[in-house]
Amino acid sequence: MEDKEKKCTCGCDDHDCDCNHDHDHDCDCGCDCDCDEDIVTLTTDDGKKLKFYFVGTIEYKGKNYSAFEPAEQIDGIEDDDLVIFEVSGEDEETADLLPVEDDKLLDEVFEEFCRVLEEDELADEAMSLEPDKD
């Protein structure tokens, strides 16, 4: 990971929004809100810079894996693809991102990401519910 920058993705037309609503990757509203979507620029071995949305990092079988979604058109990668790398190193800013070459392991890590993301979504949804006042 070489560079991080914040990008508003709130999807609103109000330039004074406070982003208390669902986020969308395609926002260009120009508001000064602090949205949670991080765009990271990853540099390939041949020096090409590619922009991705950072999805998250999980631990699986004693190793860390990070997932990204493309933030721009990238040859060979669909817009809705999840790109998963093994994280090698302790510091996220200087860690190497290694391709997961074992297809079975890649499938397992993908399934774990799906499980974790679903749990996070359900937890967020549960926190947003108001308790009954009976």
Side-chain angles (χ1 to χ4, degrees), residues 22 113-130:
D22 290 337
F113 261 108
C114 291
R115 188 189 66 73
V116 169
L117 291 173
E118 185 175 319
E119 279 181 5
D120 287 348
E121 245 178 60
L122 292 173
D124 288 346
E125 186 177 315
M127 299 244 334
S128 70
L129 298 174
E130 292 185 34

Side-chain angles (χ1 to χ4, degrees), residues 9 12 19 24 34 36 44-45 50 54 59 69 82 85 94 110 116 120:
T9 58
C12 68
C19 291
D24 179 319
D34 185 21
D36 292 332
T44 63
D45 290 338
L50 305 173
F54 175 69
E59 183 178 339
E69 290 182 56
L82 193 64
F85 295 101
T94 60
F110 175 76
V116 169
D120 287 348

Side-chain angles (χ1 to χ4, degrees), residues 3 12 16 19-20 27 35 43 45 47 55 61 83 86 91 101 110-111 114 125 128 134:
D3 187 21
C12 68
D16 295 318
C19 291
N20 289 328
C27 173
C35 296
T43 305
D45 290 338
V55 175
K61 292 187 176 181
V83 180
E86 180 184 334
D91 180 21
E101 296 181 8
F110 175 76
E111 290 298 321
C114 291
E125 186 177 315
S128 70
D134 289 327

Side-chain angles (χ1 to χ4, degrees), residues 26-61:
D26 298 318
C27 173
D28 61 355
C29 72
C31 68
D32 293 327
C33 56
D34 185 21
C35 296
D36 292 332
E37 297 293 339
D38 282 345
I39 294 181
V40 294
T41 302
L42 303 179
T43 305
T44 63
D45 290 338
D46 61 358
K48 187 174 181 182
K49 295 180 185 291
L50 305 173
K51 292 186 179 191
F52 290 89
Y53 293 102
F54 175 69
V55 175
T57 299
I58 63 167
E59 183 178 339
Y60 184 74
K61 292 187 176 181

